[in-house]
Amino acid sequence: MATPRKRQISLVDTPYYHCISRCVRRAFLCGEDAFTGQSYEHRRAWVEDKLHFLSQVFAIDVCAYAVMSNHYHVVLFIDEATAKQWSMNEVLERWHRLHKGTLLTQQYCRGDVLAKPLLDIVEATAEVYRKRLMKISWFMGHINEGIARAANQEDNCTGRFWEGRFKSQALLDEAAIAACMAYVDLNPIRANIADTPESSEHTSVKLRCEQAKQSQQPNTLMPFVGNPRKSMPKGLPFELSDYLQLIELTGRCIREDKPGFIEDSLPSILNRLNISAENWLIITTEFRTQFHGAVGREDVLSDYCEHQQLKRRQNLSHCNKLFA
C-alpha cells in the first residue's frame, strides 16, 4: 500500500525532496513517439517554464530538474522559514498569481475597507494559502494539471495524462542531496539523448552552465552557497565549481563509449562527503533502483523513521554500503 503523502513529507527531518511524475498514456510527454512518429518536443519547455514560474510564487526552491520523454525529475527545497515571514499581503498576492482567491481576498488586495469579522476571515484564508504555498503536493499539482490540460487539448482527447500520484523521496543529508541532484542532472546522458551535461536540453545543469559562463547563478534555481559554515545563507551546501566539475567527470564516466572511472584526484565535494568514486558511479546511475524511500546515512535515516513511526528502516543496507 502506498504511503500517504503527509507521511512522506517531514520538515522536522529534511526540507529536501526528490519528486518524479510520469505519464500514464502511451503518448509521450516530450520527444518523439516511436509508435506514432509524432514529435512532442515542444512540451519540454512547458514543464521547464512552469517550474521556473512556480519557484517564484511558492516557498519552494528548485535545486535540480530534468524533463525526459515520458516523465520528469525535480529536486525541491521547502523554504518554511521564508513562508512564515511573508506578510498577509504577500501571501495573498502570491496566491492571486495562481488563483482568483475569494471575493474577500480580492477586496482586501484592492484596498477596500473591511469590517473586523470580514478581516478575520481574510486572515484565516491567508493562513490556508500560506500552508499551501509550501506544500510539494500543491506545487506538483500546479505543474501537472496545467500540462495535462494543454496536452489533452493538443491531442484532442480526455482522460488521465499522468499517473495517479507523483513519487517522492526524502533526502536526509548532504550526501543524499548531492547524489540525487547528480542523478537528476545526468538523466539525458544515461538515456543517450545528450553527449555532455552542458548540452543536456531542459535540465538544471545546462542552465547552471550557461549562467556560470557569465559568473552568475540562475535566479529561478536554488543557488550554491559553498561548504557549511557559521552564518551560512540559504542555499545548497556545496561549491558550484565543485559540483559542475563532478557532473562533468561523472557524465564522461557513464557514457558507453568512455572509460568508466573518475580521475584519481577526486573532486573535493566527494572527499568532503566521504563517498568513493566507485560508489558515486553506482549511486548516480542507479539512484531510483538502489533507493525506494528516504535516503541518508544510518543516523539520520533512523531519526526519520522514528519521527514517521516507521517500523522498518528501508534502504538501510544500501545507504550504509554506498554512503560509507
Side-chain angles (χ1 to χ4, degrees):
M1 181 180 295
T3 304
R5 186 70 58 203
K6 62 182 179 181
R7 291 277 304 278
Q8 295 182 26
I9 306 298
S10 173
L11 294 182
V12 173
D13 296 291
T14 181
Y16 291 93
Y17 293 86
H18 170 218
C19 301
I20 306 171
S21 203
R22 189 178 300 276
C23 291
V24 73
R25 291 205 308 250
R26 194 169 197 171
F28 275 20
L29 163 64
C30 307
E32 184 172 320
D33 189 342
F35 181 73
T36 65
Q38 185 172 353
S39 175
Y40 299 96
E41 188 66 20
H42 58 284
R43 292 180 182 173
R44 291 183 192 270
W46 293 359
V47 179
E48 191 171 26
D49 292 346
K50 198 76 171 180
L51 277 171
H52 293 314
F53 168 69
L54 293 177
S55 71
Q56 303 300 297
V57 178
F58 279 74
I60 294 178
D61 293 294
V62 177
C63 303
Y65 67 85
V67 185
M68 305 300 289
S69 61
N70 65 349
H71 68 285
Y72 69 90
H73 295 259
V74 62
V75 177
L76 302 174
F77 171 84
I78 303 173
D79 192 355
E80 183 180 20
T82 295
K84 289 182 176 179
Q85 293 174 359
W86 288 340
S87 66
M88 184 170 70
N89 285 50
E90 184 167 2
V91 170
L92 294 177
E93 288 173 0
R94 286 174 177 269
W95 188 256
H96 287 168
R97 294 178 67 183
L98 304 170
H99 301 280
K100 292 182 179 179
T102 68
L103 179 61
L104 288 178
T105 61
Q106 292 174 9
Q107 290 176 336
Y108 177 84
C109 289
R110 287 199 303 265
D112 295 354
V113 178
L114 299 177
K116 181 64 167 60
L118 297 181
L119 189 58
D120 290 342
I121 294 175
V122 173
E123 290 177 351
T125 303
E127 288 309 305
V128 172
Y129 294 162
R130 188 191 305 274
K131 292 178 181 179
R132 290 177 181 176
L133 288 171
M134 55 181 181
K135 283 191 174 181
I136 285 179
S137 57
W138 279 84
F139 185 94
M140 296 294 288
H142 273 84
I143 296 174
N144 289 354
E145 182 179 357
I147 300 301
R149 289 180 182 276
N152 280 349
Q153 183 177 14
E154 186 176 67
D155 295 342
N156 193 28
C157 67
T158 59
R160 284 186 179 274
F161 185 76
W162 303 99
E163 288 183 349
R165 287 160 55 103
F166 67 90
K167 295 178 174 63
S168 66
Q169 287 180 294
L171 306 175
L172 302 177
D173 55 24
E174 293 178 16
I177 296 166
C180 187
M181 287 180 60
Y183 169 79
V184 169
D185 276 329
L186 291 169
N187 254 262
I189 292 179
R190 287 198 309 277
N192 201 29
I193 59 176
D195 292 328
T196 62
E198 61 271 21
S199 66
S200 302
E201 297 292 341
H202 306 292
T203 61
S204 53
V205 69
K206 176 178 172 61
L207 182 57
R208 290 192 189 277
C209 288
E210 291 174 346
Q211 292 291 303
K213 293 176 182 177
Q214 304 172 29
S215 301
Q216 298 177 353
Q217 295 201 52
N219 58 13
T220 55
L221 295 179
M222 193 173 189
F224 286 82
V225 295
N227 296 331
R229 59 192 183 278
K230 289 184 178 180
S231 303
M232 186 173 178
K234 186 191 80 171
L236 293 162
F238 314 107
E239 294 288 349
L240 173 61
S241 57
D242 286 348
Y243 180 76
L244 293 181
Q245 178 194 14
L246 183 62
I247 292 297
E248 195 274 334
L249 285 172
T250 309
R252 282 198 277 115
C253 291
I254 63 178
R255 288 273 307 280
E256 292 183 0
D257 58 337
K258 300 292 182 181
F261 68 92
I262 290 182
E263 297 173 358
D264 293 335
S265 55
L266 294 178
S268 58
I269 188 172
L270 284 190
N271 288 325
R272 182 168 71 79
L273 297 177
N274 195 29
I275 303 175
S276 70
E278 180 182 2
N279 285 349
W280 177 257
L281 289 178
I282 295 174
I283 293 169
T284 51
T285 55
E286 304 175 17
F287 194 91
R288 282 293 296 168
T289 57
Q290 294 286 343
F291 306 111
H292 298 286
V295 184
R297 290 190 167 88
E298 182 173 0
D299 55 342
V300 292
L301 187 60
S302 297
D303 290 342
Y304 174 83
C305 291
E306 182 180 348
H307 294 153
Q308 297 295 83
Q309 298 180 343
L310 300 175
K311 295 181 180 180
R312 181 169 174 264
R313 292 180 295 177
Q314 197 174 18
N315 292 327
L316 179 60
S317 60
H318 282 167
C319 287
N320 281 339
K321 177 182 177 182
L322 298 174
F323 291 131

